[in-house]
Amino acid sequence: MAKEKIDRRVFENETGVQGQYKNWFLEYASYVILERAVPALEDGLKPVQRRILHSMKEMDDGRFNKVANIIGQSMQYHPHGDASIGDALVNLGQKDLLIETQGNWGDVRTGDAAAASRYIEARLSKFALEVAFNAKTTEWQLSYDGRKNEPVNLPMKFPLLLAQGADGIAVGLSTKILPHNFCELIDASIKYLRGKKFELFPDFQTGGMIDVSGYNEGKRGGKVRVRAHVEELDKKTLVIRDVPYGVTTTQLMESITKANDQGKIKIKKVTDVTAKDVEIQIDLAAGISPDITIDALYAFTDCEVSISPNACVIENHKPRFMGVQELLRCSVDNTKHLLKRELEIRLGELEDKWHYTSLEKIFFEEKIYKELEQKHETWEHVIEAIDKGFAPFKKKLKRAIEREDILKLTEKPVRRIYRLDINELNQQIKGIEADIQEVNHHLANLTDYAVAYYDNLLKKFGKGRERKTEIKEFDTIQVKQVAIANTKLYINRAEGFIGTGLKKDEFLCECSDYDDIIAFTKTGTMKVVKVSDKTFIGKDIIHAAIFEKNDERTTYNMIYLDGKSGVSYAKRFNVTGVTREKEYDLTKGSEKSKVHYLTANPNGEAETLKIILSPNCTARIKELDFYFEELEIKGRSSMGNQVTKYPIKTVKLKEAGKSTLAGRKLWFDDKFGRLNTEEKGQYLGMFEDEKIIVIYNDGSYELTDTEITQRFEPEKIALVEQFNPEKTITAVYLDADKGQYNIKRFKIETTTLKTQFVFIKEGKDNRLEAVTTEQEPILVVQTGRGQQVRKAKFKVAKMVEVMGWKAVGAKLTDFNKSIEMEWEVRPPSDTAQTELF
């Protein structure tokens, strides 16, 4: 027993097993955070990256070195294996900033790995040599084995961490800093130095598009959405032109194949034809909409990914969470400090050089060197005599003469004495003084000097580093709208079950896994449920269908019997929003209530019914007609209007109804290129069977329907509105071949939907300048600049006759780069003067 107590005390003691495990874990966690996974604030590098760059600097002779040799050199500083060094080196090389590469270094877009380290070569880039190294401003420490010195941090004069980005997973801590654009970082640095506001958003080598609305400066809790560009090559083929950040072409194709296998999209095949540029071709299945498929690719595949940044860095040996703006400010402040230190070191060197050159000049000009020819008892007496010879000139010097200065003068070779050119020394002193003045000016105007430094970086290294990732706000894709109906839904009406597993029962419809189902029973209850294998609704199901939330057009016409009073009621109602799995009673809630008649009408149709009463009732008229169009559409909980107090035998459809609803109002959201009913963007009008006309900047037009899932590219659209075949279209376009602007008026004669027709003269650089559907348009043409501006107005309807849509048109004026055109909506008064040229 005593032995067990002793063993427990030893285990629980700090020096016992438990205490040692506690200390070991803390030491391990601290080591991983500080020495492996998280970059330093000062230079933006992890230890392994810093050691690689330092080793490459030691080896640098302007030529390429084999990566295997660089790895071996780095192992003198990094206490880990060659694999971790090699992976870090390849990662640095693929970022194409600090390291110039030669050989097969892999491809971040396709996921191809680099060749073996013995086959590839690298050297420091000119940019790295300019911004990352200066032995005079570097703080040094002993390497892990004490044999060599390595930098604590590199004197980085650039926001490298934001340019390269960083990923790291430590113990209980992680960091994810997204890469940013080189040129934008320099512009933001200059703005910060000037005291101006700036914004920073990620930019990726892989291109694509990014929605930064939730970026939150890269702090914890932020999120960005990244998409690949997906283009419609034709109605049967889609092309993916790039990949989202962190996704390879292989991963992207696998996600597309998986979505197809799961029935979320329908494609024939997907082919990777990537070479210099990313290109993945997707062949669509027959009858599948390319617009819906593009949305589905973003919804169900890696064509869109969400990334959650988490900017964490090491500052003063502790992890710290920061935003990208604060990271940039710290980097710029550090760069400014390093530039100041370099100037101060340079100033000290110049002053030392001025001091010695001045001594040298005095030493020979005033013939103090002759003291060397005098017979002095000791060498010390010679030194003292020389020092005494400088006495009359000490006030002209900037600092005291030290013994080392005199010794250095005495070491001058005798032949130098006789060749001495005093004028040359005077020129040297003037040059040094000019340099000192320049350095002092830079120190006095350090901010301007730092701005000039950044400007020089942008000028020397900014070419070819323009933004690759397009910043745009993404629309929210409704998964239900783009999901393919890939599942068969069955119903057992008598038993009251609905599900995809009831394959022996009645087939209801095809649906997707994301759909909701609305069902009504004979007793007047309603329930909305998720698609599943088998769900109980209630016995005697009389109607079931796919439920569309917030659908204000689908109208239910219903006649039911109130079980308590025996009175029958009729009602019309919409079901816009409900709680899933909750049962709703559509009657007055009495026992023995039942539904006589129920229909679902997608456009609010109101039919006419023939109601036959029970032959045993006391009613004088046993048959009557009922018109649903006389009822208002109310909420589902309304009681409804009384139809009859007598018992009903049957209800029959007498005449199909017409819609009692107005047409659907549509808007065009020019931000996302979408049609909508939520009043976003340009109002197009009230639609029933009408079409939409879209006129593009390339001089083509397209007729299309009102399908909400269509996608448009707003930047390519010149005009979009409700199509009226009686309207005349007036267009002005550039005929680049003849160097003139043509004008034409025409009506749409084609009827084919979703096909583009070119209505301007075809030719290179031909483009649409102005277009309108106003019937009496006034074209305002402005030429010249500044005080030489001239304006002319054209009453187009009186100038140009209506012609065929394929006609070339009439000449308006010659081409001029300064010409600007616009339509005057309000016609000018009768007294207005029109100048033609």
Side-chain angles (χ1 to χ4, degrees):
M1 191 70 179
K3 186 175 183 300
E4 288 181 4
K5 288 182 179 180
I6 292 171
D7 291 341
R8 182 174 297 174
R9 284 198 302 270
V10 170
F11 183 79
E12 293 177 351
N13 192 281
E14 287 295 322
T15 59
V17 176
Q18 188 181 43
Q20 289 184 28
Y21 269 102
K22 179 180 178 181
N23 292 336
W24 289 342
F25 180 77
L26 288 176
E27 290 174 3
Y28 169 71
S30 176
Y31 173 76
V32 173
I33 292 171
L34 299 178
E35 295 294 327
R36 293 182 69 175
V38 184
L41 174 63
E42 291 79 6
D43 59 7
L45 297 168
K46 298 178 183 180
V48 63
Q49 295 172 328
R50 188 179 302 114
R51 289 160 180 159
I52 288 171
L53 293 174
H54 173 60
S55 300
M56 292 183 71
K57 178 65 171 130
E58 286 187 323
M59 301 171 69
D60 183 55
D61 58 1
R63 296 180 295 178
F64 285 98
N65 291 289
K66 280 192 177 292
V67 166
N69 292 337
I70 298 172
I71 293 172
Q73 182 78 5
S74 302
M75 290 182 72
Q76 298 179 79
Y77 303 100
H78 195 61
H80 296 283
D82 60 331
S84 63
I85 299 173
D87 291 343
L89 180 53
V90 169
N91 183 267
L92 278 173
Q94 288 177 339
K95 294 182 187 296
D96 191 30
L97 189 61
L98 297 178
I99 297 176
E100 288 184 27
T101 61
Q102 189 166 273
N104 177 16
W105 281 69
D107 193 334
V108 293
R109 304 169 306 164
T110 61
D112 294 336
S117 59
R118 61 186 177 275
Y119 299 125
I120 55 179
E121 298 177 330
R123 68 182 176 192
L124 290 173
S125 67
K126 293 180 180 178
F127 173 75
L129 293 170
E130 182 151 337
V131 304
F133 301 99
N134 188 335
K136 296 173 183 177
T137 57
T138 303
E139 182 182 352
W140 302 90
Q141 64 183 4
L142 289 174
S143 60
Y144 72 96
D145 60 2
R147 286 190 172 95
K148 287 200 169 189
N149 284 329
E150 65 173 341
V152 176
N153 291 299
L154 291 180
M156 188 67 63
K157 302 189 291 296
F158 180 78
L160 180 70
L161 182 57
L162 294 175
Q164 289 195 149
D167 278 292
I169 300 175
V171 181
L173 183 73
S174 67
T175 184
K176 190 173 190 68
I177 301 171
L178 301 180
H180 295 71
N181 181 260
F182 181 92
C183 302
E184 291 175 8
L185 285 172
I186 293 179
D187 289 338
S189 300
I190 293 173
K191 286 181 179 179
Y192 170 62
L193 288 168
R194 295 297 192 199
K196 298 178 182 179
K197 292 183 179 180
F198 62 89
E199 287 185 318
L200 288 173
F201 299 117
D203 184 32
F204 309 121
Q205 287 178 297
T206 51
M209 303 176 286
I210 183 171
D211 183 345
V212 297
S213 55
Y215 187 43
N216 192 30
E217 295 186 19
K219 298 176 184 176
R220 284 185 294 182
K223 184 180 77 170
V224 296
R225 295 161 63 196
V226 186
R227 286 181 178 177
H229 282 101
V230 184
E231 300 176 2
E232 181 182 328
L233 192 63
D234 53 50
K235 297 298 180 183
K236 298 180 181 180
T237 312
L238 301 178
V239 178
I240 300 174
R241 298 293 187 187
D242 44 36
V243 293
Y245 177 69
V247 178
T248 66
T249 53
T250 303
Q251 293 171 334
L252 187 58
M253 290 179 62
E254 288 176 353
S255 72
I256 294 171
T257 304
K258 183 178 179 182
N260 183 63
D261 293 342
Q262 293 176 344
K264 295 176 180 177
I265 60 175
K266 285 188 178 180
I267 62 173
K268 286 183 179 178
K269 64 177 181 178
V270 55
T271 309
D272 187 1
V273 291
T274 298
K276 179 183 177 182
D277 298 315
V278 170
E279 184 175 342
I280 298 174
Q281 288 189 3
I282 301 174
D283 295 332
L284 303 181
I288 298 300
S289 165
D291 289 333
I292 294 178
T293 304
I294 290 174
D295 284 344
L297 288 171
Y298 289 139
F300 303 121
T301 74
D302 286 342
C303 285
E304 178 181 327
V305 295
S306 292
I307 303 173
S308 298
N310 181 27
C312 179
V313 294
I314 300 300
E315 182 183 24
N316 297 326
H317 304 287
K318 294 179 182 178
R320 180 184 171 192
F321 293 92
M322 308 171 69
V324 294
Q325 293 196 9
E326 188 176 2
L327 282 171
L328 182 86
R329 287 192 287 266
C330 290
S331 171
V332 175
D333 290 341
N334 183 56
T335 298
K336 193 173 177 181
H337 171 70
L338 289 170
L339 291 173
K340 183 180 179 182
R341 284 186 60 194
E342 289 178 357
L343 287 172
E344 290 172 344
I345 293 170
R346 172 67 174 157
L347 181 61
E349 292 172 346
L350 286 172
E351 288 179 342
D352 287 343
K353 186 176 181 181
W354 181 91
H355 178 76
Y356 180 75
T357 305
S358 299
L359 286 180
E360 187 178 5
K361 175 192 170 187
I362 296 169
F363 185 64
F364 294 115
E365 190 176 35
E366 301 300 329
K367 299 182 180 181
I368 299 175
Y369 67 88
K370 289 189 175 181
E371 291 294 335
L372 295 171
E373 301 172 357
Q374 304 297 322
K375 294 183 179 180
H376 295 282
E377 295 181 1
T378 63
W379 181 249
E380 287 300 323
H381 289 162
V382 175
I383 300 300
E384 290 174 5
I386 293 174
D387 185 47
K388 188 176 180 180
F390 279 112
F393 310 100
K394 286 185 178 181
K395 291 182 180 181
K396 296 181 181 180
L397 301 174
K398 295 182 179 180
R399 64 172 174 84
I401 301 174
E402 298 177 355
R403 176 183 174 87
E404 288 73 14
D405 297 329
I406 297 173
L407 290 175
K408 191 174 180 181
L409 287 170
T410 61
E411 293 172 359
K412 283 286 181 181
V414 175
R415 64 180 179 275
R416 180 75 175 95
I417 297 172
Y418 299 107
R419 296 179 189 171
L420 180 65
D421 186 350
I422 300 300
N423 291 330
E424 183 183 341
L425 288 173
N426 285 331
Q427 290 299 321
Q428 288 182 19
I429 291 171
K430 286 181 181 180
I432 295 169
E433 287 175 346
D435 291 342
I436 290 174
Q437 185 178 0
E438 182 183 18
V439 172
N440 281 325
H441 174 76
H442 292 329
L443 284 169
N445 301 276
L446 193 58
T447 298
D448 291 338
Y449 180 70
V451 168
Y453 168 78
Y454 281 116
D455 277 333
N456 184 53
L457 286 183
L458 185 61
K459 183 178 179 181
K460 289 176 67 175
F461 306 107
K463 187 177 180 180
R465 298 190 181 275
E466 295 78 14
R467 170 168 283 278
K468 295 181 179 179
T469 304
E470 179 185 358
I471 297 176
K472 64 185 301 184
E473 191 172 342
F474 299 160
D475 55 331
T476 301
I477 296 174
Q478 300 297 330
V479 173
K480 289 183 181 179
Q481 291 183 357
V482 301
I484 298 293
N486 60 347
T487 305
K488 294 183 183 296
L489 189 67
Y490 301 89
I491 183 172
N492 185 324
R493 297 181 184 273
E495 296 298 324
F497 288 97
I498 288 178
T500 58
L502 307 174
K503 297 185 178 179
K504 294 182 179 179
D505 294 306
E506 176 189 347
F507 170 71
L508 181 63
C509 63
E510 290 190 344
C511 63
S512 74
D513 296 334
Y514 301 93
D515 284 327
D516 291 319
I517 305 300
I518 186 170
F520 300 83
T521 66
K522 187 71 175 176
T523 58
T525 60
M526 178 194 77
K527 186 185 285 189
V528 174
V529 297
K530 191 74 178 169
V531 170
S532 63
D533 188 59
K534 184 178 181 181
T535 301
F536 180 70
I537 303 295
K539 291 189 176 182
D540 296 323
I541 299 174
I542 58 175
H543 175 77
I546 294 174
F547 175 66
E548 297 290 342
K549 190 176 181 181
N550 298 324
D551 181 4
E552 296 181 349
R553 296 190 66 84
T554 299
T555 304
Y556 297 93
N557 298 339
M558 174 178 170
I559 296 179
Y560 71 93
L561 170 69
D562 176 31
K564 184 177 181 180
S565 63
V567 176
S568 294
Y569 296 89
K571 59 193 287 188
R572 302 181 73 202
F573 60 94
N574 303 124
V575 181
T576 53
V578 295
T579 303
R580 193 183 288 152
E581 307 295 341
K582 180 180 178 180
E583 188 176 90
Y584 294 87
D585 198 331
L586 303 177
T587 69
K588 295 178 69 175
S590 306
E591 290 187 16
K592 297 184 180 180
S593 295
K594 67 177 183 178
V595 176
H596 285 301
Y597 181 85
L598 176 73
T599 57
N601 304 280
N603 285 299
E605 291 85 355
E607 62 268 38
T608 301
L609 304 179
K610 179 180 285 295
I611 299 176
I612 302 175
L613 303 181
S614 173
N616 298 325
C617 71
T618 59
R620 186 168 56 89
I621 300 175
K622 299 291 196 295
E623 291 186 6
L624 56 99
D625 292 340
F626 183 79
Y627 302 92
F628 271 113
E629 63 184 17
E630 297 176 355
L631 298 183
E632 290 185 13
I633 299 173
K634 298 182 179 179
R636 63 171 180 269
S637 59
S638 65
M639 179 178 69
N641 293 6
Q642 180 175 325
V643 178
T644 179
K645 63 180 181 180
Y646 300 106
I648 294 175
K649 180 182 179 182
T650 58
V651 178
K652 296 181 179 179
L653 176 66
K654 182 177 180 180
E655 184 179 342
K658 297 180 180 179
S659 175
T660 58
L661 302 178
R664 183 171 57 163
K665 292 182 178 180
L666 286 182
W667 284 260
F668 176 69
D669 188 344
D670 56 6
K671 188 175 183 179
F672 299 118
R674 295 283 197 173
L675 300 175
N676 68 90
T677 58
E678 290 83 34
E679 303 184 15
K680 297 178 181 178
Q682 172 192 346
Y683 177 63
L684 297 180
M686 191 83 71
F687 288 82
E688 291 184 0
D689 297 323
E690 291 85 357
K691 305 299 184 236
I692 294 173
I693 182 170
V694 183
I695 299 179
Y696 296 95
N697 293 322
D698 63 359
S700 64
Y701 73 84
E702 176 184 19
L703 296 180
T704 184
D705 54 28
T706 57
E707 177 58 49
I708 297 292
T709 56
Q710 292 182 90
R711 301 176 63 88
F712 300 95
E713 298 182 68
E715 62 276 5
K716 295 183 179 180
I717 293 177
L719 182 145
V720 56
E721 62 179 40
Q722 188 178 59
F723 174 57
N724 182 348
E726 299 304 317
K727 275 191 174 183
T728 300
I729 297 173
T730 305
V732 180
Y733 71 92
L734 171 65
D735 184 344
D737 183 42
K738 292 188 175 181
Q740 66 185 36
Y741 291 101
N742 292 343
I743 187 167
K744 61 184 293 187
R745 304 183 72 226
F746 64 97
K747 291 184 178 181
I748 300 298
E749 302 169 13
T750 58
T751 57
T752 307
L753 296 184
K754 297 187 177 181
T755 300
Q756 291 189 19
F757 296 92
V758 178
F759 62 87
I760 68 172
K761 180 182 175 182
E762 295 188 19
K764 185 180 179 183
D765 298 327
N766 287 8
R767 65 176 183 270
L768 186 66
E769 291 293 333
V771 64
T772 183
T773 56
E774 291 289 329
Q775 295 310 291
E776 297 291 335
I778 305 296
L779 179 64
V780 180
V781 179
Q782 175 180 305
T783 58
R785 303 291 185 192
Q787 297 180 351
Q788 302 299 320
V789 170
R790 293 180 59 202
K791 286 188 177 181
K793 295 181 180 180
F794 297 86
K795 294 183 178 180
V796 176
K798 296 181 179 181
M799 293 172 50
V800 184
E801 296 292 333
V802 177
M803 56 191 74
W805 68 274
K806 292 183 180 180
V808 173
K811 178 180 177 180
L812 177 67
T813 183
D814 290 328
F815 171 71
N816 188 326
K817 289 184 178 180
S818 67
I819 282 184
E820 295 181 7
M821 300 182 186
E822 62 181 0
W823 299 105
E824 184 177 273
V825 178
R826 178 179 297 177
S829 63
D830 294 337
T831 58
Q833 295 183 357
T834 302
E835 179 189 358
L836 302 181
F837 62 92

